[in-house]
Amino acid sequence: MTPLGAVFRPQLPPERLRSVAQVADEAGLEELWLWEDCFSEGGISTAAAALAWTERVRIGVGLLPVPLRNVAVTAMEAASLHRMFPGRAILGVGHGVQDWMGQVGARVESPVTLLREHLLALRALLGGERVTVDGRYVTLDDVALDWPPEGPHSGVLAGATGPRSLRLTGEAADGTILTAATNAEGVRKARQLVEEGRAAAGRGAGHHPVVVYLLTATGPDAAARLRAELVAEGLDSVPDLGVAGDAGAVAKAVDRLVEAGADRVVLQPTADEPDPEGFVRFAAEDVRPLVP
């Protein structure tokens, strides 16, 4: 069965999260995803709160921008979530939106190099290793976590869009997150690039999960809201991007992404979604039964 999720968008105030998370939990949705967009909610703080307010729903963070974070702090926070809420936290990192990174003085010359160094160090720390590294951006001197995760966890996912970043996720991450600007053909191409990265790094064994956001609108004005968001984001020329309609139409769009290589799909409401709790309930109660 393909895991299905929904996004709590950062256009909503953080105090709205409790209600949305509890609806997701009660309705049986598998995953609720949060974003650490500048300059909105913090990813770790909101994830911890959502996990504490709920009992079973998995909480994903996609993404934590690594230029803002010392890798040791990222590892400490991730390990704490994995230990306090076993099997329920999913964390993804990325190189961040470069304009935002520039605004806070964190923009680096090579975002891909930083992401690679961060991923390798973070996965080693969460694996219980003692790490010494002197990289271009990441420096650790005999660092190990006192409380690394116990038992299996989701690993470290990474967001990517371009070919270099996608190959990097295959090389150095435990999974890949694709934005809602990715249609089915984009998923196929991304999967190929990820596998190229895995092969180059000698990581042939095992499966590399791919998470895809699907821009979704439902209700009487769904088509207009979807169109407006695609135009606003400059994505209206991308074929077969997003879906507007009832549960059947959304389920078919999910199936297309899965057939193209997605392992789980996260429904992303439009920024002007009028009923976030209702959207989450729609995903869980109406769409979920139609997705194999």
Side-chain angles (χ1 to χ4, degrees):
M1 181 177 289
T2 301
L4 191 70
V7 176
F8 176 89
R9 291 190 60 146
Q11 285 81 10
L12 295 169
E15 60 268 23
R16 190 74 177 269
L17 175 59
R18 183 170 190 161
S19 173
V20 175
Q22 289 178 338
V23 168
D25 204 44
E26 293 163 3
L29 190 66
E30 290 109 311
E31 299 175 357
L32 182 68
W33 283 73
L34 315 173
W35 297 348
E36 190 170 74
D37 275 3
C38 295
F39 299 94
S40 301
E41 295 93 347
I44 296 295
S45 57
T46 50
L51 287 161
W53 287 328
T54 56
E55 297 293 335
R56 50 156 303 281
V57 65
R58 294 189 294 273
I59 302 296
V61 182
L63 304 160
L64 299 169
V66 299
L68 298 181
R69 297 179 161 274
N70 181 285
V71 69
V73 175
T74 308
M76 291 159 58
E77 293 182 325
S80 295
L81 291 182
H82 288 314
R83 290 185 71 107
M84 291 188 294
F85 308 99
R88 293 183 55 213
I90 308 168
L91 299 180
V93 299
H95 53 52
V97 176
Q98 296 309 297
D99 287 346
W100 288 342
M101 299 303 100
Q103 281 183 268
V104 298
R107 188 166 185 166
V108 299
E109 185 177 356
S110 178
V112 173
T113 299
L114 169 57
L115 182 57
R116 175 182 287 107
E117 292 181 358
H118 197 104
L119 279 167
L120 293 173
L122 180 57
R123 291 177 61 234
L125 289 169
L126 292 176
E129 298 180 29
R130 184 169 296 276
V131 181
T132 295
V133 61
D134 185 15
R136 182 174 178 181
Y137 299 111
V138 173
T139 301
L140 296 172
D141 182 10
D142 195 33
V143 175
L145 296 178
D146 288 347
W147 300 105
E150 289 187 325
H153 59 86
S154 59
V156 181
L157 282 62
T161 53
R164 287 182 64 204
S165 296
L166 285 164
R167 291 190 182 96
L168 171 60
T169 66
E171 170 193 338
D174 297 305
T176 299
I177 302 172
L178 304 177
T179 73
T182 313
N183 60 12
E185 182 57 29
V187 173
R188 291 187 186 92
K189 292 178 180 177
R191 173 63 80 179
Q192 179 180 350
L193 290 165
V194 167
E195 293 305 324
E196 289 176 6
R198 286 176 59 78
R203 301 180 69 194
H207 180 67
H208 184 101
V210 171
V211 181
V212 186
Y213 292 118
L214 172 62
L215 187 60
T216 305
T218 190
D221 58 348
R225 287 193 292 111
L226 176 65
R227 174 70 179 172
E229 180 136 337
L230 290 174
V231 170
E233 296 295 329
L235 298 171
D236 51 311
S237 63
V238 181
D240 301 318
L241 192 63
V243 59
D246 61 11
V250 176
K252 288 179 181 177
V254 171
D255 287 344
R256 287 194 293 271
L257 295 176
V258 172
E259 290 172 1
D263 294 284
R264 42 160 54 100
V265 177
V266 183
L267 305 186
Q268 176 180 317
T270 57
D272 61 354
E273 166 58 50
D275 182 7
E277 289 85 357
F279 182 87
V280 166
R281 195 173 295 281
F282 165 76
E285 297 181 352
D286 297 338
V287 180
R288 167 73 275 171
L290 303 179
V291 176

